[in-house]
Structures are given as structure tokens and as C-alpha cells.
Amino acid sequence: MLNRFANPIRFLRLADQIQPWAAILTLVLFAAGLYFALFNSPPDYQQGETVRIMYIHVPSAWMALFCYTLLAITSGVAMIWKHPLANLAGRATAPIGATFTFLALITGSIWGKPMWGTWWVWDARLTSMFILFFLYLGYIALQDAFDNAEGGSKAAAILALVGFINVPIIKFSVDWWNTLHQPASVIKFSGPAIHSTMLTPLLLTALAFKGYYVWLFLINMRGEIAEARCRALQVSQIQNAQVAKVATSDARDAHAD
Amino acid sequence: MTTFIEIVRRDLRLSMRHGMDTIMVVMFFVLVILLLPLGVGPEPTVLARISGGMIWVSALLASMLSVERLFQTDYEDGSLELLVIQPFMLELTVTAKVISHWLITGLPLLIIAPLLAGMLHTGKDGFAALLLTLAVGTPLLSLIGSIGAALILGARQGSILLSLLVLPLYIPILIFGVSAVDAAIHGLPWRLPVLILGSLLIGLAPFSVWATAAALRETMRR
């Protein structure tokens, strides 16, 4: 499976088939999710109408962690098996993950103003999400900091693996520390502690965001593969030009002799 | 083992002869602390309350600024290549380099910190906690910093990049260090954060040495 899609052309062929489906699925699920979230779900008995922000906030936060986990996995695959597409997959995922993290922070702060009375508090969950945002930015910056693109990808892969320590810290920060942020209520051993009328729109938008990720990922992947190909072409062009130059100068030398 | 000690001694000797490394770090540390009473006012109660955090933040910045040179000079004069290809485990070489970095920059901070704590009116209770957390925490800073220092070799705008990479990873250390000092100042038990720092040091040491060595190998391949 891993080896089969090491070939970019084969990967692109598969991507062509998946991409329209991902797009359709995203739009349908998002429309349904928004309908449920805005019109067909009750306001919370404590939070009132602001609870509807959650239907964007929670899926974005899940996607932020999900993207970083994927980033760590692709980095591991790139380092262990030297898989040619794994580095590109990391490059394609990082900006999407950074945007989801940003979205989670922004929506959380918009929700926090009416609920907690402040845009921002320095509690464990918020701070660790903020760190995650900077880990994404560090990954993106490190990738482009070298003249040699492949070297940049390898350095960034090591950083992604080191930064992965932060993901369990974010996940369990609400259980380990007493914080303002509420603890997990969907994934629990005792079953979800959230009513089905609220769970439906939440799961719909979460799935829509997953589909959205796949859609954007495939678009980014196409760009990354094209860029890698351009670079390879440029290098071979320069090499050919140099070979031709050496050949003509050799011929001239031979003529002079 | 002889190779290990030899690498530590080489770094120490280099920094002695170049001179300024240790002095610069300590000067930076003292100057940042000096800015504090000028910035927030010289009131002893205010200073005492924020002294733990301030000393920790400046120690962290001083360590980060100095860690950039951990591999940079060796990379520029080519001796890093010899360190990588010599028949000695690269992970151990990295450990030796980290230890020497701590001896050159971490230890002087530890020595000067009591003086600064006194100037900031930290108080007797916070004093012990501050020294103990710095003693456990500064090697951690050197370890994590070494990953960043190895990753940025040959990069454009290396030093700015280094702070972007390393500071987010420093944050947990800062949190535990400061929470121990704060608890001690308020007369609360501060054993737990120190224990967490110690376990972080033991747990992260092999991991970060491995990551640094991997980054150095990639640098050599570039």
C-alpha cells in the first residue's frame, strides 16, 4: 500500500477520483450540519444561543490535533522508509492544520467573551493550543529556510516528531489541570455526555471538516507534486546546459590542437 | 569514555580561549534582570512576587541565545563533519556537547542567580526552590535547545528561526519551574513540580539526544 503510492502519477490518478467526491461530501455534510446547528438544535440551558459557536469550534480543534498527528505520522514515514510522497504530504498538511488551529483559537475567543467575560485566559488548554499553532508555524518556516528543499523537509520532519509530545498534553490538559475550559464530553468511556440533538450537528460538521481536509489536501498535494517536478526539471535543464557547454569547449580545444 | 571526556574538554578549552561565551551569557542574564526594576518600579513586594518568573524567563532567553553557537562554529570550520564521521556513537558526542554547553552557560547562571534573587527580594523560601529548579531545568534547556541548534544549521535567518522552534518547546519547563518557585514563595508545598522537572529531564534526555543526532546526520547529507 505504502509502496504502491510512492509513484506520484499513480497517486495523482487516485486523487483525481477521490477529489470530486470529497468536495461533494464536504458541501452536503456542511450544509446539513449548518442547518442542524443553526435552526434545528436547542439553545443550551446555560450558554443560550452562543452554544452554536461550538459546532465550528470543536471540529476545528479536533482537526488541529488530527492534522498534527498526521504530520507526525508522515514525518515518521518519511524518515523511516524515505517515502517520496510522505514529505510532500507533510508540506501539504501543515498549512491546513495551522489554519484549523487558528480557527479554533479565534472561535474559542469569540465564545469566551460572552461566556467567561474575557477574550483570552491563560489556562492549560488555551495555552497548549497556542503552542500548537507556533509548532505549525515553526514547521512551515523550517521547511522553507534551506536552499535545498529536500533538506528542509527532513529537518522539519524531525521537528514535527519532537513537537508531537504536545498533542497528548493538549488532549489531556483539561483532565490533568483544573482549568476554565470544560472537560471532554463527547468521547468518554461512559458514552457521550451531550444530548443527541446537539451531537447530530456536531458530528455532521466534524465529518464535513474531515472531508474538507481531504479536499484541500489533494489540491495542495497536486501543487506540491507539480513544484517538485518543476524543480527536478530545472535541475536537469541546468545540468544539460552544462554538459553541452563542456562538450562544445572540448570540441573547440580539440580543434585548436 | 576517553573520547567522551575529550570532547567535553575540547569545548571547554575552546570557550576558555575564545573567552567571551560565558561572560556574555551572564552579562545578558544580569542586564535583563536589571531592566525589570526599571520597568515595573522598585517596590520590594512587587519585585518579590514576580522575581521567580523573571529570573526563569531571563535564564531561558540566555540559554536560547547561547545554544545557537553549540554546533554553529563547528559547522562553519568543518570540525562538525569530523565529529559526525568519527568512529564514536554520534548520540554520545551530542551528549558530550550538551554537557559542555551546560557547563559553559547553565552553571554560571546557577551561580549568579542567588545574587540576583537577593537583589529582587525573592525571600528565603523561594530561594531554595529557585536554585533547585534552575539546577534541574537548565540542563533541560540545553538539551531541547540542542535539537533546535542542530536543525537550523545552514538555514537562512537561523537565529530567528531558532527562537521560533525552541521557545514553544521551552514553555512546559518554564511553567513547572515558575510554579515551584511561586508555591515556595507562598509557603505551599513545591515538591511536585520539581519532581516533574526531574522526570522530564530523565525522560527527554535520550529522546532529544537522538533527535539532535538525527538532525546532524541530515545536515551532513545536505
Side-chain angles (χ1 to χ4, degrees):
Chain A
M1 174 70 190
L2 216 56
N3 286 332
R4 194 173 153 71
F5 293 107
N7 180 343
I9 296 179
R10 203 176 279 156
F11 176 84
L12 283 178
R13 216 179 294 143
L14 184 74
D16 280 338
Q17 284 171 358
I18 295 176
Q19 196 176 324
W21 290 106
I24 293 169
L25 207 65
T26 306
L27 294 175
V28 169
L29 282 172
F30 201 58
L34 274 188
Y35 168 71
F36 274 103
L38 293 179
F39 303 111
N40 206 357
S41 69
D44 190 77
Y45 78 102
Q46 277 179 327
Q47 304 174 2
E49 300 290 342
T50 46
V51 73
R52 302 186 197 285
I53 296 173
M54 178 192 75
Y55 302 123
I56 299 295
H57 172 71
V58 174
S60 324
W62 282 347
M63 287 309 293
L65 291 184
F66 175 77
C67 286
Y68 201 88
T69 312
L70 279 184
L71 202 62
I73 292 173
T74 56
S75 301
V77 170
M79 280 186 70
I80 297 167
W81 290 291
K82 313 251 180 269
H83 192 278
L85 285 188
N87 275 332
L88 297 184
R91 269 172 185 269
T93 301
I96 307 176
T99 314
F100 276 127
T101 315
F102 186 67
L103 209 59
L105 286 170
I106 289 292
T107 51
S109 131
I110 294 172
W111 178 89
K113 185 61 187 167
M115 285 299 111
W116 296 341
T118 168
W119 295 105
W120 182 261
V121 284
W122 290 99
D123 94 342
R125 171 65 62 93
L126 276 72
T127 312
S128 51
M129 272 309 260
F130 203 37
I131 299 175
L132 184 72
F133 183 58
F134 277 103
L135 285 177
Y136 274 121
L137 292 189
Y139 180 92
I140 296 169
L142 190 60
Q143 257 175 3
D144 295 332
F146 297 94
D147 294 329
N148 171 347
E150 206 180 325
S153 302
K154 280 176 179 157
I158 295 172
L159 181 74
L161 286 178
V162 172
F164 187 65
I165 301 171
N166 195 30
V167 169
I169 295 181
I170 300 176
K171 177 75 191 73
F172 297 112
S173 58
V174 277
D175 305 325
W176 290 345
W177 287 285
N178 256 336
T179 67
L180 212 50
H181 196 284
Q182 53 191 323
S185 48
V186 176
I187 300 165
K188 269 180 150 179
F189 283 122
S190 50
I194 175 172
H195 195 260
S196 60
T197 47
M198 288 184 171
L199 194 60
T200 316
L202 181 61
L203 289 183
L204 280 175
T205 44
L207 283 176
F209 273 30
K210 283 269 188 311
Y212 191 39
Y213 165 76
V214 174
W215 185 13
L216 287 181
F217 171 75
L218 290 176
I219 295 174
N220 271 359
M221 236 4 223
R222 236 177 260 282
E224 293 296 341
I225 290 176
E227 205 185 314
R229 206 175 277 167
C230 282
R231 258 196 313 268
L233 275 177
Q234 262 173 349
V235 169
S236 71
Q237 234 165 28
I238 292 167
Q239 273 170 348
N240 285 343
Q242 274 172 345
V243 168
K245 212 192 216 166
V246 170
T248 47
S249 69
D250 277 357
R252 206 181 300 126
D253 289 348
H255 191 69
D257 290 340
Chain B
M1 201 60 212
T2 6
T3 321
F4 188 86
I5 293 169
E6 205 43 57
I7 294 169
V8 177
R9 280 184 55 189
R10 167 181 176 270
D11 274 18
L12 290 183
R13 213 178 299 135
L14 276 176
S15 102
M16 287 294 173
R17 299 207 178 141
H18 285 298
M20 296 303 282
D21 280 10
T22 302
I23 300 166
M24 290 291 262
V25 172
V26 172
M27 290 238 290
F28 176 83
F29 186 53
V30 174
L31 277 174
V32 172
I33 295 290
L34 184 73
L35 291 179
L36 175 71
L38 301 177
V40 300
E43 234 172 294
T45 46
V46 177
L47 287 180
R49 199 165 54 75
I50 59 174
S51 65
M54 258 330 274
I55 290 178
W56 253 100
V57 169
S58 0
L60 190 147
L61 291 176
S63 177
M64 188 196 78
L65 284 179
S66 61
V67 87
E68 192 193 343
R69 287 168 53 80
L70 181 57
F71 300 114
Q72 192 71 45
T73 44
D74 286 348
Y75 177 72
E76 278 162 5
D77 67 14
S79 48
L80 187 65
E81 265 170 67
L82 296 177
L83 285 173
V84 172
I85 60 170
Q86 70 174 334
F88 187 62
M89 230 173 114
L90 184 56
E91 281 77 5
L92 287 177
T93 310
V94 169
T95 315
K97 297 278 288 181
V98 171
I99 288 175
S100 60
H101 176 258
W102 182 76
L103 288 175
I104 296 164
T105 62
L107 197 59
L109 292 187
L110 210 59
I111 294 169
I112 200 84
L115 184 70
L116 295 171
M119 286 164 77
L120 294 178
H121 314 284
T122 308
K124 225 175 34 254
D125 302 320
F127 212 69
L130 182 70
L131 273 188
L132 197 58
T133 51
L134 277 178
V136 183
T138 42
L140 255 173
L141 296 178
S142 298
L143 271 171
I144 293 176
S146 78
I147 305 176
L151 283 175
I152 58 145
L153 288 177
R156 274 171 266 133
Q157 303 237 305
S159 42
I160 299 171
L161 193 58
L162 180 70
S163 53
L164 181 60
L165 303 187
V166 165
L167 284 182
L169 300 173
Y170 275 174
I171 290 174
I173 307 172
L174 180 68
I175 290 173
F176 290 120
V178 172
S179 64
V181 179
D182 275 353
I185 289 176
H186 292 106
L188 299 167
W190 46 274
R191 202 161 151 256
L192 184 67
V194 176
L195 289 181
I196 292 176
L197 270 184
S199 51
L200 276 178
L201 178 60
I202 296 166
L204 283 182
F207 178 69
S208 38
V209 163
W210 167 82
T212 308
L216 286 181
R217 286 200 187 96
E218 288 304 336
T219 309
M220 287 301 112
R221 230 167 267 157
R222 261 200 290 276

